[in-house]
Amino acid sequence: MEIKAYAKINLSLEVVGRRADGYHDLVSVMQRISLADTLVFKRRENGLLLDAGGALPCDESNLVLRAARAYFAKAGLEFGVDIRLTK
């Protein structure tokens, strides 16, 4: 499966407070733009493997991998996936 992850720009961004967990409350207006990353997913027996073509780290600091791990954990999926990220 191949999908596009479109970029966005903030037209306005205001920090309106700080939450107890240390993150900030924001008020923002965003607009999607035509630039996009391409994500290709291929099923595998188990585990998650991210290939970013050397452009980005492929460890837990990568949001794509963190999001995939969270999704698999919540959905209880028992197979794996190869993810190719092209900027």
Side-chain angles (χ1 to χ4, degrees), residues 19-67:
R19 303 182 333 204
D21 62 7
Y23 288 94
H24 293 90
D25 288 320
L26 305 174
V27 174
S28 178
V29 176
M30 292 183 241
Q31 174 65 50
R32 187 175 81 168
I33 60 176
S34 62
L35 295 175
D37 294 343
T38 301
L39 293 157
V40 177
F41 300 91
K42 184 177 177 185
R43 188 175 172 143
R44 62 184 288 150
E45 189 171 319
N46 56 38
L48 295 171
L49 180 65
L50 174 63
D51 174 9
L56 297 170
C58 294
D59 58 15
E60 293 301 316
S61 67
N62 189 297
L63 291 177
V64 170
L65 186 58
R66 287 171 43 196

